[in-house]
Amino acid sequence: MLRRSFSLCMFGLVAIVAACDNLTGGTAKNGTPVGIVLMNSRTKGAGYTTYPKVNFYNLASATFAFSNVNTDSCVAGAYDSTAANGTTTAPQVGAGTFMLSTVSGRTDSLYKATTGDQTYHPTPLSGISYNPGDSITFQIAGDFAGFPQLTTAAATAEPFVIVRPTIPTAGNPMLISWTPAVRSGEAMYVALLYNQGGGTALNRQLFCNFADDGQGAVQASLISELTSSIVPFVMKAQRVQTALRTPSSTLAYLNIISTFEVPTPVSP
């Protein structure tokens, strides 16, 4: 049986845990087809590109990503710059030789890798030129033995500007402000990286998930660690927009996860 979870694992920014494995493999022949789309924004000159990566699995269970945040919260934890998301051992399936994506007035093919993990992605490493915040459409041809045919659209994460916060006086929360989302259904994740224990390495973080209304607050009880850091804190922020789509005729799920990060990565 497939289960649905309303927790969001971070993709690309900073995770409060060292690893995140969102999928668990199912060996039963009647497992459920699940597709995962990951796409982030990257700067390219005065514009942006994105490089969608799509994988399809046959699963007995899955944890889907949702970007709805009902309550703001911040936690302190270890930070490891070398940590990576956990690997997925679930059996992969196909969805056709290639699929199409249409965004910002252009259509591109995402081809399935012939070796390795069968990821569908654009051929050029520079990816696809687009306007963050635009809607993107995916056309999946489908595979009788894998993921079914599906054409669906979803919004991409909007660009934003965030103000570096100042450390408040003792006993007061830290306020963080950014450009609020125009539409609902987006979340803002902020990580403040700092040092604890001496030296200059960034080894701790305050990690916050906020409703995307333009302002959040780090509780005063967490600020003391930040003020003791030998080096100035580093801030990273990520807006996340998700969608969960299902074909009308077959039990299957496509989880589309779009992000916009500050600082924004540079496109090849």
Side-chain angles (χ1 to χ4, degrees), residues 15-36:
I16 195 66
V17 292
C20 176
D21 188 350
N22 253 28
L23 306 173
T24 57
T27 57
K29 292 183 179 180
N30 61 345
T32 302
V34 172
I36 306 293

Side-chain angles (χ1 to χ4, degrees), residues 72-76 168 171-174 206-208 210 216-224:
D72 292 353
S73 65
C74 298
V75 294
N172 292 301
M174 173 187 282
L206 297 182
F207 183 80
C208 303
F210 296 127
V218 182
Q219 55 265 44
S221 59
L222 296 177
I223 303 301
S224 59

